[in-house]
Amino acid sequence: MKHWTDLLAPLFFYLIALWFFRFGQGRDIMGNPRPGVTDTWRNTTGRTIRRVVILFAAAYTALLFLNLRSA
């Protein structure tokens, strides 16, 4: 049987990934625009942040599926 912390680790990871993704969009976690974020920042740095978050989330999800498959 899994320990309860094994079930919370993905939840925390995806919550932090959501926060970084929203940060890359120029918004806070609730969807409100952050002050001082320009379209230029959103189209350069923000796009890079969003792409990195997507890559990390895909890799983490693949590892979770591999772990489920071996169990």
Side-chain angles (χ1 to χ4, degrees), residues 32-44:
N32 302 321
R34 289 182 323 154
V37 175
T38 62
D39 285 337
T40 304
W41 185 90
R42 197 174 297 117
N43 291 331
T44 56

Side-chain angles (χ1 to χ4, degrees), residues 13-14 17-18 20-21 46-61:
F13 173 80
Y14 288 117
L18 173 67
F20 275 113
F21 191 83
R47 181 185 301 155
T48 304
I49 291 171
R50 290 190 305 269
R51 287 179 178 174
V52 167
V53 167
I54 290 169
L55 288 173
F56 274 111
Y60 186 72
T61 303

